[in-house]
């Protein structure tokens, strides 16, 4: 049971980091293009070659 005194704070700390990363992603508008992927997948032009 001694290990729980280490695991519980560690899991809370890692969960807090994950929550902060999610809030940061929302504030910097990382998820604002919900239709962009759907339009790109149906496009006929191929983007196989790297841009110079």
């Amino acid at each position: 049971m001694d290990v729980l005194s280490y695991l519980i704070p560690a899991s809370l700390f890692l969960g807090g980091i994950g929550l902060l990363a999610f809030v940061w992603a929302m504030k910097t508008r990382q998820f604002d293009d919900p239709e962009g992927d759907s339009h790109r997948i149906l496009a006929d032009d191929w983007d196989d070659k790297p841009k110079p």
Side-chain angles (χ1 to χ4, degrees), residues 20-31:
L20 288 175
F22 177 72
V23 169
W24 171 82
M26 293 300 291
K27 284 190 176 198
T28 57
R29 304 171 66 98
Q30 297 289 319
F31 305 113

Side-chain angles (χ1 to χ4, degrees), residues 4-50:
L4 287 179
S5 62
Y6 296 111
L7 289 178
I8 291 174
S11 66
L12 290 175
F13 177 72
L14 291 174
I17 289 175
L19 181 63
L20 288 175
F22 177 72
V23 169
W24 171 82
M26 293 300 291
K27 284 190 176 198
T28 57
R29 304 171 66 98
Q30 297 289 319
F31 305 113
D32 272 357
D33 190 18
E35 294 188 17
D37 291 332
S38 63
H39 291 294
R40 277 192 296 274
I41 200 168
L42 296 175
D44 288 332
D45 54 339
W46 296 89
D47 195 12
D48 288 344
K49 297 177 184 163

